[in-house]
Amino acid sequence: MIPGPFDYQVASSVAEAIALLDQHGADAKVLAGGHSLIPLLRFRLASPAVLVDINRLRDLEYLQEADGTLHIGALTREVDLEASDLIRRRYPILADTARVIADPVVRNWATIGGNLAHADPANDHPATMLALGAQLVATGPAGQRLIPVEQFFTDSSFETTLQPNELLTEIRIPAPAERSGGAYLKLERKVGDYAIAGVAAYVALDGAGQVTYAGIGLTNVGPTPIKARAAEQLLLGSTLDDAVIVQAAKQAAAEARPVSDLRGPADYKRAMVETLTMRALRQARSRATGGA
Amino acid sequence: MSIHHIRVTINGKLYEGDVEARTLLVHWLRDGLRLTGTHIGCDTSSCGACTILVDGKAVKSCTMLAVQADGRELLTVEGLEQNGKLHPLQEGFHVEHALQCGYCTPGMMMAALALLKRNPDPSEQEIREGISGNLCRCTGYVNIVKAIQYAAQKLREPEQVPAGSGGGGE
Amino acid sequence: MTTTNAGPHVHGLGEPYKRKEDARFIRGKGNYVDDIQLPGMLYADIVRSPYAHALIKSIDISKALQVPGVVAVITGKDLEAAGLAWMPTLSGDTEAVLAVDRVLYQMQEVAFVVAESRYAAADGAAAVEVDYEPLPVVVDPQKALAPDAPLLRPDKKDRQPTNQIYHWETGDRAATDAAFAEAEQNGVVVRQDMYVPRIHPAPIETCGCVADYNAATSKLTVWMTSQAPHAHRTLFAIVSGLPEHRIRVISPDVGGGFGNKVPIYPGYVCAVVAALKTGRPVKWIEDRTENLTSTGFARDYHIHAEIAADKEGTVKALRVYTLADHGAFDAAAQPTKFPAGLFHICTGSYDFKQAHVAVDAVHTNKAPGGIAYRCSFRVTEASYLIERMMDTLAREVGKDPAQIRLQNFIKPEAFPYRSALGWTYDSGNYERALRLAMEKIGYEELRREQAEKRARGELMGIGISSFTEIVGAGPGKHFDIAGIQMFDSCEIRVHPTGKVLARIGVQTQGQGHETTFAQIIAAELGISPDDVDVEHGDTDTAPYGLGTYASRSTPVGGAATAVAARKIRDKARKIAAYLLEVGEEDLEWEPGRFYVRGSPSKGKTIQEIAFAAYTNCPPYLEPGLEAVNYYDPPNLTYPFGSYICVVDIDRGTGEVHIRRFLAVDDCGTVINPMIVEGQIHGGLTQGLAPALYEQLAYDEDGNVLGSNFQDYLIPTAIETPRWETDRTVTPSPHHPIGAKGVGESPTVGAPQAIANAVVDALAHVGVRHIDIPITPWKVWAILKEKGLATA
């Protein structure tokens, strides 16, 4: 499995990366961690004319909270999300997600930006970002624009609303409200696999214990990452009791659009969305109310 | 197809050469530099036989281009032994019988090295997670876990591990 | 550990000696085929069919020849012109080296591109244009037998007019049928269909070779990933017409084999042809997809099994019908004289008075193979069926699976035991192994826990497998490759200073022969294993042998080694008698030394004797101290064991969690307990794999699903439990040191322990069988059907 020929250019700044993308347009592919792209090249399923390597852009590797927002540089490696005290303490759903992506060696090099921008419905971060209501920063020749994550993915697999000359540079996540919490659960055939199904759930409660925010994202049960909007609606205003969790889980399953494949039949995957949603919501509730 | 001149420090020694953009790092190491201790077992970054350290982090060298290594510091299995002294991981793999055909062994040791750098006192579960990107078809992992525990202890308290109970090889 | 008949302690045997071969591997200094780089070497890539069944209308290589670096492109027509388009398989079929006019399975070899680099070869392969006309695809072996099925092998329609390769049966059909008729009336009959799916050994090193032809010496050297270098040399000579002494096959370090590296594959033959054609060395290395999709698969047996028993569950007769899917060519790497290999070991550990087995083998549009993946030619399928059936019988008569086994085991005093299907088991004590396993795992306590959990709605299962293996091919009367009987060999040279070089005909792929064979010699000669180097794998230097698979190294090669060492000792005795000026009969042996009976201080060490063999040899003896033995074993060996697996099932997801797995093995005399335990750990993991994860599935168009390691699911350290082991020792009475071989026992014995545990967890709701691999969705579908699924 040998890649076909291509040119390679290394970007030494975000501006340079964008200039290169602007120059090459759709013939160019951004090379970040490369764990999706390089296997595609090796199987000759992708044949870009030029790779723009952004791995030297150390200023895109950061995790910081400022102004009520968590800012994650797009080139942040999964291992840094997994290991960060800040993430483990304040955003455990992100640590949940990072630690089930591929395997630990892959996570040393794979990036959060790549996981999102590849727009693979089987990737794990999209569901979590949908649950969290993240915003993505796209930087292009004209500067930056903010894309709400639900507008980042299109109706097609492997497609985003990024322009060919734009680079995903940052992910912004609202800092957690006082009584909020979330969890990401992934069912996989074995370690290193894509999800049979994955569910991210995030909730915020008010002082009376009523749900003021609910986010549910689904992994690999449809052509794109799925935001289970109707399930979220069921939760809003509820006290997140077991009955509503059961109901929301059923609703999330109804919103999944799985197909039968090597990861199991569609009805199984749909049922797993229900199981995982229930478990994720219970864990989210526990975390929101001070548990682990 | 662009050609690039790269300079890479491997096991403390500077190597340089011209590579095609598409040359995979593992092929440059093996075919170009004849550092054949790093192996290839799959095409999908699944097996970890090609694991090396790049700037101190374990990386699957089949999923990195050689040109990406330009200016970086690499460590391969050939660099584990220092001044004729085996690294505790090499010793542990021998003493605990953590290898059979030996093919996954270099990648497995490099993944373990990265794990121990991050976590000098891992639990069995943490070790199993740490090597879960590396496939072994011979050992069933039981003795690999023991070998990594052996090395972890030796790296923490160098004087307390008794020497291996005799036998061949070393 | 429970031991009988252990015999006197001998130096070297039974000790956990650290491996001699480790030194190079832990330094990254192993020498695998892809590590070899010769001056001027070319690299090859193979163009493969995207279709499972198609006619080749045309092949256009012109663009490929224009790719920079491409040196040559070889097609089936080129080979046909040289008479090399077809090659014999190990099962008497012929297989296309490169397809000439039709392809019969997806990923079949169509053209061979050689170039200056791997990269240029890949570019060249991508530039070969092949025009196919797709044909109807047959993937279901039952449909392959239908009268209107497309004939997949028109090339041999004269001798085989349908897709059926063979029908074979063995055992006493009439007596078996009579026993079933009796049981229908007065006893019980249990029946089960089961499928043992197509899987792949998938060693982490794929297959490959470097072929180098030296025109000046007319000598061909092939470094190849071979489990049987001598047999491969002979086959190369037969196929190519090159004189055998001008062919040298070298199997260097091999990165795992497990049966995958027994057959000869088209890539090897093409590399040789390309080396001859270009005059330069040619390297061919498979990628993972090629390995999984085109080289030796295993299993793929559709089994129907029936047991007749009395009302108490005492077995009377076994009846088995199997449909075997052999793929496009019958390339089953099985050297027995029986079409379905050793499948008729399927009466297992139980005292069946009657049995009958019938097997039909068919062609389908799938890759050829049918290799023995870490087992002896269908013994895994056999053991799986009988161990699953014994559980089914236990349910039927309302007995515990342990009880039904204890009740039906062949008794220790019955050995040597002749089975209803004609095998003579050498030795065994099955009850002792099972009782040890039950005691060690706390079987009764686990059953109590299971009952409590069941009452709470939790699902827990306990599975037993009390398997009997059959290993060690030969004897020659039962086994041959291309007519060569399956003996094995050892040649020992004792140097003047008493150091030893031994060369053996078997070929390690990780089993540790350099250590264990040194221990055998050390034990026989009373020297340190450090003083013995063991070499193998080079046909120019090693004595002829049939290679390593079927757990035959220790039973056959190990026996040859022990016998050769005894020949050395016999000659040493003659030299010692001469040196000590006494009669041979006056000498006593203690490890490392002969001494005069009654005068222990008067003696000669083996080192002194070795020196004398070269410096002061008795005039009536040849100088030197060397011996060779070619050993044809009188019988196979029959290792056995009892495994117990404990699983918990997640009712929300259907996931199976292995909580504990205990393996009690009996492989006779243990040479190196550390290595034996390592073999068991690895084999158990390769038994876990098909039980829960691995399968080479095909869709109805013949596309291979699971063609890379993202979809062919090899267990990692997370899925693999912490194996627990113990052993009993029942030596083989016919092996020189009593050893039986162990490498395959765990792979053979483990899948059914896991399957039995999962079925056991669900037995109370009437579940009797789940086909492996037991995926979460299969379990969940049952949970749902039985009203046990929760979220």
Side-chain angles (χ1 to χ4, degrees), chain A residues 63-122:
Chain A
L63 287 163
Q64 66 199 37
E65 263 186 329
D67 313 323
T69 301
L70 173 67
H71 302 260
I72 306 174
L75 202 64
T76 301
R77 312 285 167 177
E78 302 293 356
V79 65
D80 296 322
L81 279 174
E82 192 184 350
S84 154
D85 271 348
L86 170 68
I87 298 297
R88 288 184 182 199
R89 195 162 33 85
R90 302 260 295 160
Y91 306 87
I93 185 175
L94 274 177
D96 290 351
T97 311
R99 81 164 68 93
V100 294
I101 291 170
D103 65 58
V105 178
V106 169
R107 294 199 290 274
N108 280 335
W109 197 239
T111 68
I112 183 170
N115 195 279
L116 289 164
H118 188 52
D120 186 340

Side-chain angles (χ1 to χ4, degrees), chain C residues 307 315 318 343-353 379 382-388 390 401-412 414-415 417-420 423 425 427-434 464-470 638-643 664 666 740 748-749 752:
Chain C
I307 287 179
V315 299
L318 175 70
F343 186 57
H344 48 311
I345 193 69
C346 58
T347 53
S349 307
Y350 311 102
D351 190 12
F352 282 91
K353 298 304 179 200
V379 62
S383 180
Y384 176 80
L385 86 84
I386 189 62
E387 289 303 310
R388 280 267 54 249
M390 292 306 284
Q403 176 54 38
I404 207 81
R405 285 173 170 78
L406 291 167
Q407 179 181 335
N408 285 294
F409 278 147
I410 299 161
K411 303 287 180 251
F415 291 90
Y417 170 85
R418 187 158 172 90
S419 78
W423 295 108
Y425 295 21
S427 63
N429 190 332
Y430 303 147
E431 178 170 346
R432 184 172 57 177
L434 177 54
I464 300 175
S465 164
S466 291
F467 64 94
T468 287
E469 258 261 85
I470 174 169
Y638 296 75
F640 60 93
S642 270
Y643 294 172
V664 172
D666 192 322
K740 288 188 170 186
V748 168
Q752 50 271 32

Side-chain angles (χ1 to χ4, degrees), chain C residues 51-55 102-105 133-140 144 148-153 163 363-366 700-702:
Chain C
Y51 295 102
H53 195 195
L55 294 176
R102 64 175 63 221
V103 288
L104 294 172
Y105 62 96
E133 181 185 321
L135 295 172
V137 173
V138 183
V139 291
D140 179 339
D148 59 344
L151 181 66
L152 302 183
R153 293 291 304 279
N163 292 322
H363 285 305
T364 58
N365 289 120
K366 298 179 191 166
E700 58 189 25
D701 296 322

Side-chain angles (χ1 to χ4, degrees), chain A residues 160-190:
Chain A
T160 70
T161 53
L162 281 177
Q163 295 303 308
N165 59 5
E166 284 182 317
L167 189 66
L168 172 60
T169 50
E170 185 178 285
I171 296 96
R172 293 182 186 171
I173 293 164
E178 202 167 326
R179 269 179 292 276
S180 69
Y184 180 68
L185 294 179
K186 174 182 184 177
L187 182 64
E188 55 189 1
R189 295 176 299 176
K190 58 167 260 194

Side-chain angles (χ1 to χ4, degrees), chain C residues 235-386:
Chain C
L235 290 170
F236 271 127
I238 291 170
V239 171
S240 68
L242 292 171
E244 194 169 359
H245 66 302
R246 295 278 164 74
I247 302 172
R248 179 182 188 184
V249 173
I250 301 174
S251 191
D253 289 324
V254 178
F258 318 116
N260 186 212
K261 294 166 181 172
V262 173
I264 289 190
Y265 297 119
Y268 298 137
V269 178
C270 290
V272 169
V273 171
L276 291 166
K277 182 181 163 103
T278 62
R280 293 167 65 178
V282 174
K283 175 184 278 188
W284 166 70
I285 304 288
E286 285 176 340
D287 63 37
R288 177 55 59 190
T289 299
E290 294 176 295
N291 177 253
L292 287 169
T293 57
S294 71
T295 63
F297 75 89
R299 326 287 190 242
D300 216 345
Y301 259 34
H302 299 258
I303 298 170
H304 175 80
E306 304 177 335
I307 287 179
D310 67 17
K311 285 200 162 62
E312 293 303 307
T314 296
V315 299
K316 301 296 179 192
L318 175 70
R319 197 158 57 187
V320 178
Y321 173 73
T322 289
L323 184 56
D325 186 342
H326 282 221
F329 302 101
D330 186 19
Q334 73 94 358
T336 76
K337 300 211 190 298
F338 313 103
L342 309 185
F343 186 57
H344 48 311
I345 193 69
C346 58
T347 53
S349 307
Y350 311 102
D351 190 12
F352 282 91
K353 298 304 179 200
Q354 300 298 341
H356 181 259
V357 170
V359 182
D360 285 318
V362 299
H363 285 305
T364 58
N365 289 120
K366 298 179 191 166
I371 55 98
Y373 168 11
R374 204 167 180 157
C375 81
S376 293
F377 325 116
R378 308 299 185 182
V379 62
T380 311
E381 294 89 327
S383 180
Y384 176 80
L385 86 84
I386 189 62

Side-chain angles (χ1 to χ4, degrees), chain A residues 1-5 43-44 187-191 193-194 196 262-265 267-268 271-272 274-275 278-279, chain C residues 118-119 122-123 126 287 289 650 652-653 655 693 705-706 708 710-711 713-714 716 718-719 776-777 780 790-791:
Chain A
M1 289 288 163
I2 305 284
F43 282 88
R44 301 199 177 200
L187 182 64
E188 55 189 1
R189 295 176 299 176
K190 58 167 260 194
V191 167
D193 191 19
Y194 292 109
I196 295 170
L262 287 175
R263 291 183 179 78
D267 69 328
Y268 174 70
M272 290 309 100
E274 185 177 340
T275 294
M278 200 168 317
R279 292 177 182 183
Chain C
R118 293 176 202 269
Y119 286 69
D123 292 346
D287 63 37
T289 299
D650 184 329
T653 62
E655 288 172 288
Y693 303 104
L705 311 171
N708 59 55
Q710 287 188 334
D711 284 318
L713 305 175
I714 292 187
T716 73
I718 294 295
E719 288 77 39
W777 49 91
W780 179 82
T790 61

